[in-house]
Amino acid sequence: MSRPIAAPRPLIRSVLHTRPRAQQCRHFLTTSSSSYSSPPTPSSRRPSPLSRRCATTDPDNASRPAVSFTQRRHKAKTVEEAKSRYRTGPFSWKAGALFVLAAAGLAWYFEHEKERMQRKRTAEATKGVGKPKVGGAFELVDQDGRAFSSAELRGRYSLVYFGFTHCPDICPEELDKMARMFDLVEEKAPGKLTPVFVTCDPERDDPKILKAYLSEFHPRFLGLTGTYDQIKDVCKAYRVYFSTPRDVKPGQDYLVDHSIYFYLMDPEGDFVEALGRQHSPDQAAALILDHMKDWRGSWRSQV
């Protein structure tokens, strides 16, 4: 006879002791309705499928306490409070003030940058290729009788004016204006501007006369003179028109017609801009200071 095969005892024992894993639903979210007159009892609550989380009944999960989440909402006490909460939408007076300040700051920046670029274009347009269109090297004599070259103006801005000491009205007015311009610039940028007066009448304006004449306007003015040919070459380099006669007899009286401009030169000796009679002293000084702020080269130390 064949004998039945006995099942291994450990396998039978494990099958007998195996229990189906029961599912237990745990309530996490609670909701309440304003339509109920009294809160529902725990037995009458029906959790919805979205408000329940199922877990197995293993010892670890059973020992964890259930966590409930309650949604909090702001409730207005009055109708006016509810309306005022959403009356302005996403905007407020703080946001409006911040917007106005940001717009004003951007407008100021772009306007300032526009003026700076305009000054840069003006300065670049006046520079020639190789040889400058306005200005150049020269050798003259100053009001103390010493030789003076254009190289001594390097390292600072220079404001050059052409005139003559026997001028009845225009030159005195322009030199007063030049003195005011120089003082305004000197207050904010000391030692960075040299005021220069070049005579168009070398026959009558020797160093001694130049020194006495310029001292009546400002002690810091630099006066330059020279021979007729030297002055003619300088006037030609600066594109200055003048009508001084040659070979003037001693004691002969005459007037000199000349251009009326202040020539602003940068620390490298390049022409920057011409300031005319349409510029007031304050406007001209402000323009000079703006060009100085734009300068990125080196400066000569003040002596």
Side-chain angles (χ1 to χ4, degrees):
M1 293 178 64
S2 61
R3 296 180 180 179
I5 300 175
R9 293 183 179 181
L11 178 60
I12 297 174
R13 190 180 295 112
S14 62
V15 171
L16 294 176
H17 287 82
T18 301
R19 297 177 181 178
R21 304 184 70 181
Q23 300 292 328
Q24 180 182 5
C25 296
R26 184 172 298 166
H27 190 194
F28 278 87
L29 300 178
T30 61
T31 59
S32 61
S33 174
S34 60
S35 63
Y36 295 145
S37 59
S38 61
T41 60
S43 61
S44 62
R45 292 178 182 173
R46 292 183 178 181
S48 61
L50 296 177
S51 63
R52 293 178 299 174
R53 180 176 298 177
C54 297
T56 57
T57 57
D58 63 89
D60 294 337
N61 289 337
S63 62
R64 295 176 184 173
V67 181
S68 62
F69 298 92
T70 304
Q71 183 179 8
R72 296 182 180 180
R73 296 182 179 179
H74 175 77
K75 295 183 179 180
K77 296 180 180 180
T78 61
V79 177
E80 289 76 8
E81 182 181 352
K83 290 182 178 180
S84 63
R85 181 177 179 85
Y86 302 100
R87 182 170 52 192
T88 57
F91 299 100
S92 64
W93 69 269
K94 294 182 179 180
L98 182 61
F99 175 79
V100 172
L101 290 176
L106 288 174
W108 176 87
Y109 171 78
F110 284 117
E111 187 65 24
H112 177 75
E113 189 67 13
K114 179 181 177 182
E115 294 177 356
R116 188 186 71 83
M117 293 303 296
Q118 181 62 33
R119 292 193 301 269
K120 184 178 180 180
R121 285 193 294 267
T122 301
E124 292 294 333
T126 56
K127 295 182 180 181
V129 179
K131 183 178 180 181
K133 295 181 180 179
V134 178
F138 59 80
E139 296 284 342
L140 296 175
V141 178
D142 66 9
Q143 72 268 33
D144 294 323
R146 295 176 298 187
F148 187 92
S149 68
S150 56
E152 298 182 49
L153 297 176
R154 299 292 181 90
R156 300 191 184 102
Y157 275 84
S158 56
L159 192 62
V160 184
Y161 179 76
F162 292 82
F164 63 108
T165 61
H166 289 76
C167 182
D169 49 11
I170 295 179
C171 288
E173 292 177 1
E174 294 302 297
L175 288 176
D176 283 334
K177 178 180 176 180
M178 188 178 185
R180 177 60 180 163
M181 291 161 52
F182 175 73
D183 288 336
L184 291 173
V185 173
E186 190 70 11
E187 289 177 2
K188 297 184 179 181
K192 294 185 177 181
L193 180 66
T194 302
V196 182
F197 176 85
V198 181
T199 181
C200 296
D201 187 13
E203 296 292 336
R204 293 182 295 186
D205 293 343
D206 57 18
K208 184 178 179 180
I209 293 177
L210 270 181
K211 188 172 184 178
Y213 179 74
L214 295 177
S215 63
E216 298 178 1
F217 299 96
H218 203 285
R220 297 279 297 277
F221 279 0
L222 172 64
L224 299 177
T225 186
T227 64
Y228 182 89
D229 291 334
Q230 287 176 327
I231 297 298
K232 181 180 178 181
D233 292 340
V234 175
C235 291
K236 183 178 179 180
Y238 279 82
R239 304 299 189 264
V240 174
Y241 166 77
F242 77 107
S243 61
T244 305
R246 184 190 289 267
D247 300 328
V248 178
K249 297 179 181 179
Q252 181 181 350
D253 191 16
Y254 56 90
L255 293 177
V256 178
D257 190 14
H258 61 88
S259 303
I260 306 172
Y261 286 104
F262 297 98
Y263 297 88
L264 181 64
M265 314 298 291
D266 68 16
E268 292 182 352
D270 293 326
F271 173 69
V272 177
E273 191 167 347
L275 306 176
R277 306 192 73 179
Q278 73 274 15
H279 295 92
S280 67
D282 293 340
Q283 293 173 341
L287 191 59
I288 295 172
L289 289 171
D290 287 338
H291 281 295
M292 288 181 175
K293 293 177 183 178
D294 297 337
W295 177 251
R296 295 295 180 265
S298 59
W299 295 91
R300 189 174 65 181
S301 58
Q302 186 177 0
V303 180

